[in-house]
Amino acid sequence: MGALFGTNGIRGLANVDLTPEFAAKVGVSVGTFFDGGEMVVGSDARCTSPMLLSAVISGLTSAGCKVYNAGMAPTPTIQYTVKKQGVDGGIVITASHNPPEYNGIKVLAGDGVEISREEEKVVEKIFFEETFRRVKWDQVKEPSILEGVIEDYLASVTKHIEVEAVRERKFKVVVDPANGVGSLTLPRFLHSLGCKVYVINAELDGRFPSRPPEPRPENLGELAKTVKALGADLGVALDGDADRAIFVDETGNIHWGDKTFALIAKFFLMKNPKSTIVTPISSSSIIKDVVDEYGGSLVFTKVGSVDVSHKMKELKAILGGEENGGVFYAPHIPVRDGTMTTGLILNIMAESGKKLSELLSDLPVYFIKKSNVKCPNELKGKVMERVSSEFEGLPKETVDGIKAFFPNGSAVLIRPSGTEPAIRIYAEAKSEDEVNDLVRKYAALLERVIREASAV
Ligand code: MG
């Protein structure tokens, strides 16, 4: 049996891998999994999203599902709608931050969180064995259009913000939603908080003409320049489906998501000491240092937002986050949400009375470097076993690969890739020289171990 789901749901080239026939088959498989229940569906603004959404709706209704169509909206907006409507599950058509020729299908449980890895396996089995639930012609239900989805969602986000404190500051904010669905929510949310809002790249366009839809620093030059030129307090860049947010401070500096998440965790722990914070094992030690300093407990998960959401649910944790700008705030919904994240940052700026650059300059500084070493899939297990003996006696985390923490504050994570014949190295240290040494040392070690393992 093949695999349908990757780390981020079902992804592929639109109209090549993800054809309407394929999407309809996923739809009927998911409809079978939910036993013909009630489903909320929606999509991002990619050129191929309406085509795939129609096909998924056909499949779901064929299995007897009642479908509520939320239309075009950010992924977290559709996730929140699933939870609020009290339906059985949902489907989102999106390829998040991938290039425009891609698309994807996310399957949600009744609480709006993506289904678990075990549940994905059940859907896969139905898909490949074609054991579909098909209802009689007079049992096929007509899909309905859902109204007011964005208003309801923004009302939920706003509930978790100190609205008056933020309004008083009259923040000047520049938003760059990458021509994606964040254009539909974030500017409106900021207006409601009394901000002076400027937008760039905010016309919906599935070709992503202005910048790639991944909010990486190298794609955000225009935003940084605009923040500086306008003398704005904050710049916010979203990814293509608006579940991740990367921030630019008032001086035009772009900050990677580990820093802004650490800032949110710090202020959260100051108000809620002893809380549990959830983050993937690949997150930088900035998070660990802040959580240690402010008396929280940190729980590591495998790499992937689904793993963070599920661990938060299991532990009833309130806050989670990833280095890529995904922050999960459970009182709203335990999934990453760029609009909610922006609200939390503005809250901190309002309550502290400090500028973003000042708030972030208080955090510990790490130099981070990543590398890959080629390794045949069949040798990965053996290689990882040998590598683990190198870290004898050091504090370790082994939830996904091996992460070892050295006494001088540096750390290294060695993790087999889930998608490629390679082993990944993530190193971090207090100086650039040190981090380069770490990567060199462990790349050489891995190459030697792989050579020895393949010689046997
Ligand atoms: Mg995304």
Side-chain angles (χ1 to χ4, degrees):
M1 195 174 80
L4 200 54
F5 292 88
T7 323
N8 287 301
I10 302 167
R11 289 275 168 92
L13 283 167
N15 231 7
V16 178
D17 309 313
L18 267 69
T19 58
E21 307 87 284
F22 172 86
K25 195 170 160 184
V26 172
V28 72
S29 306
V30 172
T32 303
F33 174 80
F34 285 102
D35 205 21
E38 295 191 328
M39 303 288 287
V40 165
V41 299
S43 80
D44 66 14
R46 283 167 191 269
C47 303
T48 56
S49 291
M51 171 188 86
L52 293 171
L53 183 61
S54 306
V56 156
I57 293 173
S58 294
L60 288 170
T61 49
S62 160
C65 291
K66 171 65 195 177
V67 174
Y68 298 93
N69 188 352
M72 228 172 246
T75 298
T77 305
I78 298 162
Q79 292 181 292
Y80 174 75
T81 306
V82 168
K83 175 179 140 179
K84 176 168 183 277
Q85 295 288 325
V87 292
D88 299 292
I91 287 185
V92 186
I93 306 298
T94 180
S96 181
H97 59 277
N98 290 149
E101 61 272 25
Y102 283 83
N103 217 324
I105 304 174
K106 264 185 203 295
V107 183
L108 311 174
D111 57 3
V113 175
E114 286 161 270
I115 58 171
S116 67
R117 302 292 183 203
E118 296 73 42
E119 289 166 324
E120 287 178 351
K121 295 266 179 324
V122 180
V123 174
E124 272 173 3
K125 193 162 159 28
I126 298 166
F127 179 94
F128 288 110
E129 293 179 358
E130 305 195 345
T131 48
F132 304 134
R133 181 184 202 269
R134 297 269 193 200
V135 294
K136 246 181 80 201
W137 64 272
D138 60 351
Q139 304 297 307
V140 174
K141 300 182 182 101
E142 193 183 348
S144 305
I145 305 284
L146 274 181
E147 306 283 351
V149 166
I150 287 178
E151 290 78 359
D152 290 347
Y153 159 79
L154 289 180
S156 169
V157 176
T158 307
K159 261 198 307 213
H160 306 289
I161 303 299
E162 300 297 331
V163 175
E164 282 320 307
V166 175
R167 286 190 77 92
E168 260 172 43
R169 295 287 305 276
K170 299 187 174 60
F171 289 118
K172 238 190 209 188
V173 186
V174 187
V175 178
D176 174 359
N179 301 102
V181 278
S183 314
L184 302 171
T185 50
L186 188 55
R188 213 164 139 176
F189 171 65
L190 293 169
H191 278 297
S192 79
L193 293 176
C195 298
K196 187 150 176 57
V197 186
Y198 299 87
V199 294
I200 58 171
N201 313 324
E203 308 77 28
L204 288 182
D205 191 330
R207 296 167 301 133
F208 301 116
S210 20
R211 68 159 170 94
E214 175 150 36
R216 298 198 56 80
E218 58 269 29
N219 299 335
L220 306 181
E222 190 192 356
L223 174 65
K225 239 189 267 169
T226 311
V227 167
K228 228 178 146 186
L230 292 172
D233 300 291
L234 182 70
V236 191
L238 299 172
D239 75 326
D241 66 336
D243 59 354
R244 285 163 52 189
I246 291 291
F247 297 92
V248 174
D249 71 25
E250 77 290 349
T251 71
N253 274 332
I254 304 164
H255 297 279
W256 193 228
D258 52 354
K259 285 164 78 179
T260 40
F261 174 51
L263 178 67
I264 292 169
K266 171 177 159 179
F267 276 78
F268 176 76
L269 287 169
M270 282 161 62
K271 287 187 180 172
N272 308 276
K274 296 190 181 150
S275 299
T276 299
I277 309 289
V278 180
T279 197
I281 188 70
S282 55
S283 290
S284 91
S285 293
I286 301 177
I287 316 287
K288 187 175 181 298
D289 290 0
V290 164
V291 173
D292 285 349
E293 185 178 345
Y294 291 89
S297 63
L298 188 63
V299 173
F300 287 115
T301 69
K302 285 189 191 316
V303 178
S305 70
V306 182
D307 297 284
V308 176
S309 288
H310 281 270
K311 187 51 89 177
M312 287 177 70
K313 275 168 56 177
E314 181 193 322
L315 302 174
K316 298 191 170 60
I318 291 177
L319 186 65
E322 299 175 309
E323 55 160 7
N324 61 16
V327 174
F328 308 61
Y329 190 62
H332 166 56
I333 181 170
V335 302
R336 20 180 218 200
D337 186 333
T339 300
M340 185 72 244
T341 309
T342 306
L344 294 172
I345 290 286
L346 287 174
N347 233 359
I348 292 169
M349 289 169 64
E351 292 190 333
S352 67
K354 288 186 178 172
K355 295 179 180 357
L356 187 63
S357 67
E358 295 167 354
L359 287 161
L360 292 172
S361 68
D362 289 347
L363 295 171
V365 176
Y366 281 94
F367 293 84
I368 295 168
K369 198 167 173 181
K370 299 179 185 180
S371 185
N372 278 325
V373 177
K374 283 204 178 81
C375 175
N377 286 331
E378 64 275 13
L379 292 181
K380 282 176 178 172
K382 204 156 135 196
V383 168
M384 289 306 294
E385 236 172 75
R386 299 252 186 110
V387 167
S388 84
S389 64
E390 289 291 318
F391 300 115
E392 213 72 50
L394 287 171
K396 278 190 285 286
E397 286 285 346
T398 55
V399 63
D400 195 354
I402 303 165
K403 187 168 191 171
F405 300 90
F406 301 102
N408 67 354
S410 49
V412 66
L413 168 65
I414 296 183
R415 181 180 156 259
S417 164
T419 48
E420 290 164 49
I423 294 185
R424 303 196 192 287
I425 304 172
Y426 305 65
E428 55 186 327
K430 300 267 183 191
S431 78
E432 203 157 5
D433 286 344
E434 232 178 310
V435 82
N436 287 334
D437 287 347
L438 276 176
V439 169
R440 251 197 311 273
K441 176 177 169 191
Y442 286 99
L445 170 79
L446 273 172
E447 277 159 15
R448 179 169 58 77
V449 171
I450 292 165
R451 221 171 24 243
E452 286 167 7
S454 53
V456 180

